[in-house]
Amino acid sequence: MINAYLHKSIRLLLPALFFTLSSFMASAQDGEALFKNNCRTCHSPFERVTGPALKGVENRHSEEWLLKWIKNAPGMIKSGDPEAVKLYSENKDRGMMQIFTNLKDDEIKAILKYIKEVQPPVAAVAAKTDDEGGEEKSSNTWLYLIAAAVLLYLISGVLRRVQETLAHTVRKNQGIPDPAHMSRWQSFVHWARNNKKLLAVILIALFVYGNVKAWYGLMGIAVTQGYKPEQPIKFSHKLHAGDMKISCIYCHSGAERGKTAGVPSLNVCMNCHKFVKQGPTTGKDEIAKIYKALDYDPDKGTYGTNQKPIQWNRVHNLPDLAYFNHSQHFVVGKIECQTCHGPVQDSMTVVSQYSMLTMGWCIDCHRRTPVQMAGNNYYNDFHKTLLAKYGSDSLLTVESIGGTECARCHY
């Protein structure tokens, strides 16, 4: 009787604890995942990217107002909302806020909670203990899951020993001999035969979990977000685009003229480095590589004949089946470089792939991004047709002009 009671208790306790922990960990990750999927392209909690830094946003605006703003910022601006108009006027040089009608109120609240609670990357370093061998505190949820699994394993082991001891005592008092000793495998087979329903639930859960993990694993093939190769010359975007405030178009002139932004030739570098022969962080070492590739003598100011191109490592690489035009987005769409490439001017001493650049990521952007109609004569006649079709009060996104049609990017 005691044996059966304990056995039933363990069967009920472990799935309940596992479900509770899984639910807790999943909810803790929701805000972060939603932020990365929807907001990270234009915002960071701690620094300005395309849009302003979001840390402390709950103190600057009410939750009710933020829910409306995030879902339809252009609509609020058009309605004349004072806060919306003021916020837009302060950031209009960075473009219009996208719409997020796909997000539910609870999802937006989860994002706001994540922004409120997230700590700067350096917080983990500052949190080290002063004792020798002190370890850095981590918010990695996998550590909590592993700790919970170990704890559950220890609890189940203690309960099993208690169960065996009580069962032995009961059998001894009733004069019943102990059953023959079984190996671990025999014990498992015996347990499986007596718990077929529970075993079936576990197998189904493992099957579903495995398929979900496999699905997301397949979705991640060729997604190289975060790819950060070392380059033959240590070129710092933070130094050039940030500290020196050199326009992106000065080096990547193709972005406003055609499909590719292009990598600048070393002649473009030499416009400055004929005169700037030493860098603030790397001294003469990296600039000397430019001179060597051009067979340039900085003392005499002459070029030799043994010139060799620099073999740069490509960072962003869309598949050949997808067509993307930089000028269409930069000139016509008035999309800032940082929208896709991240805060290169603030933090990228070594450039990395900031965005996912997947088809779903592009489509979501097209569904949220309003068409820049003011002062844009590129689609002048087409805009008149759209306004006649949808009405002057309608919010026209890139999707409205066919931005989600397959043939726009695949032809």
Side-chain angles (χ1 to χ4, degrees):
M1 181 175 170
I2 295 176
N3 183 27
Y5 174 75
L6 286 173
H7 190 66
K8 184 177 181 181
S9 298
I10 294 171
R11 285 196 301 168
L12 294 174
L13 177 64
L14 294 182
L17 285 173
F18 179 77
F19 177 78
T20 302
L21 286 168
S22 300
S23 301
F24 173 77
M25 300 310 297
S27 62
Q29 294 178 357
D30 283 345
E32 181 179 4
L34 287 166
F35 177 84
K36 289 181 177 178
N37 291 334
N38 296 279
C39 314
R40 185 174 179 264
T41 299
C42 299
H43 292 282
S44 166
F46 311 107
E47 59 187 2
R48 183 182 181 93
V49 188
T50 301
L54 297 181
K55 196 66 176 175
V57 69
E58 72 281 355
N59 299 323
R60 301 193 292 268
H61 306 283
S62 68
E63 184 180 87
E64 181 181 359
W65 186 89
L66 285 170
L67 292 174
K68 295 178 182 178
W69 170 258
I70 293 171
K71 286 186 176 181
N72 189 2
M76 292 187 69
I77 296 169
K78 197 170 184 178
S79 69
D81 181 271
E83 284 188 69
V85 172
K86 181 176 182 294
L87 187 59
Y88 174 66
S89 64
E90 293 172 351
N91 299 276
K92 62 182 179 182
D93 60 316
R94 295 297 182 104
M96 176 69 74
M97 166 84 170
Q98 298 178 356
I99 60 174
F100 292 90
T101 51
N102 59 305
L103 292 177
K104 300 176 182 177
D105 287 354
D106 290 343
E107 292 175 327
I108 296 176
K109 290 177 181 178
I111 293 174
L112 295 175
K113 182 180 179 183
Y114 165 72
I115 294 170
K116 182 178 180 180
E117 296 177 352
V118 68
Q119 297 298 318
V122 295
V125 178
K128 287 186 178 181
T129 62
D130 294 330
D131 299 332
E132 184 177 353
E135 294 184 353
E136 183 179 309
K137 291 183 179 179
S138 172
S139 60
N140 191 339
T141 54
W142 282 107
L143 293 179
Y144 294 106
L145 285 175
I146 293 172
V150 172
L151 180 62
L152 288 174
Y153 178 78
L154 293 175
I155 292 174
S156 65
V158 171
L159 292 177
R160 185 172 62 252
R161 295 294 296 177
V162 171
Q163 178 189 15
E164 292 173 354
T165 302
L166 291 175
H168 172 75
T169 303
V170 170
R171 285 193 295 268
K172 184 177 180 181
N173 291 337
Q174 295 178 353
I176 302 173
D178 289 331
H181 176 73
M182 292 189 292
S183 65
R184 287 177 179 252
W185 174 250
Q186 290 173 328
S187 298
F188 172 76
V189 172
H190 177 75
W191 175 86
R193 286 175 178 172
N194 291 277
N195 298 272
K196 293 180 180 179
K197 292 182 179 180
L198 178 59
L199 180 62
V201 171
I202 293 174
L203 291 176
I204 292 172
L206 290 174
F207 177 78
V208 172
Y209 176 78
N211 277 273
V212 170
K213 293 293 288 184
W215 171 256
Y216 281 104
L218 291 172
M219 287 179 64
I221 293 176
V223 177
T224 55
Q225 185 179 25
Y227 178 55
K228 189 177 182 179
E230 289 292 333
Q231 301 293 351
I233 296 179
K234 294 180 180 179
F235 178 88
S236 171
H237 278 77
K238 181 181 183 300
L239 173 63
H240 291 78
D243 300 343
M244 303 297 179
K245 301 189 182 302
I246 298 175
S247 171
C248 301
I249 299 303
Y250 181 78
C251 297
H252 304 287
S253 57
E256 63 178 1
R257 298 178 183 176
K259 178 183 176 182
T260 60
V263 177
S265 67
L266 293 183
N267 290 332
V268 175
C269 305
M270 289 297 290
N271 289 339
C272 295
H273 289 296
K274 272 187 178 180
F275 313 99
V276 180
K277 300 178 181 180
Q278 183 170 335
T281 56
T282 58
K284 297 182 179 180
D285 295 342
E286 300 305 314
I287 298 175
K289 295 178 182 178
I290 301 175
Y291 297 156
K292 182 179 180 181
L294 291 172
D295 195 14
Y296 175 77
D297 187 335
D299 297 324
K300 297 179 181 179
T302 58
Y303 291 92
T305 58
N306 187 29
Q307 298 181 3
K308 297 179 181 179
I310 296 292
Q311 299 294 320
W312 299 102
N313 294 312
R314 186 166 184 169
V315 179
H316 305 87
N317 189 20
L318 292 179
D320 293 339
L321 54 86
Y323 176 81
F324 176 85
N325 190 298
H326 272 83
S327 64
Q328 179 73 19
H329 291 75
F330 180 75
V331 180
V332 183
K334 303 184 186 302
I335 303 297
E336 293 290 332
C337 303
Q338 291 84 353
T339 301
C340 301
H341 295 292
V344 293
Q345 77 284 1
D346 295 327
S347 59
M348 290 194 188
T349 52
V350 180
V351 74
S352 62
Q353 181 177 320
Y354 181 78
S355 303
M356 293 183 69
L357 302 183
T358 60
M359 185 172 74
W361 180 84
C362 295
I363 289 175
D364 286 342
C365 186
H366 284 188
R367 286 172 175 166
R368 298 192 302 258
T369 305
V371 177
Q372 301 296 326
M373 301 180 69
N376 188 348
N377 297 323
Y378 190 89
Y379 283 141
N380 199 29
D381 293 334
F382 188 39
H383 287 165
K384 294 178 181 178
T385 304
L386 288 172
L387 291 175
K389 179 179 179 180
Y390 293 102
S392 58
D393 295 331
S394 298
L395 177 65
L396 299 178
T397 64
V398 179
E399 185 178 23
S400 306
I401 60 174
T404 56
E405 295 175 4
C406 301
R408 295 285 178 168
C409 302
H410 307 291
Y411 61 88

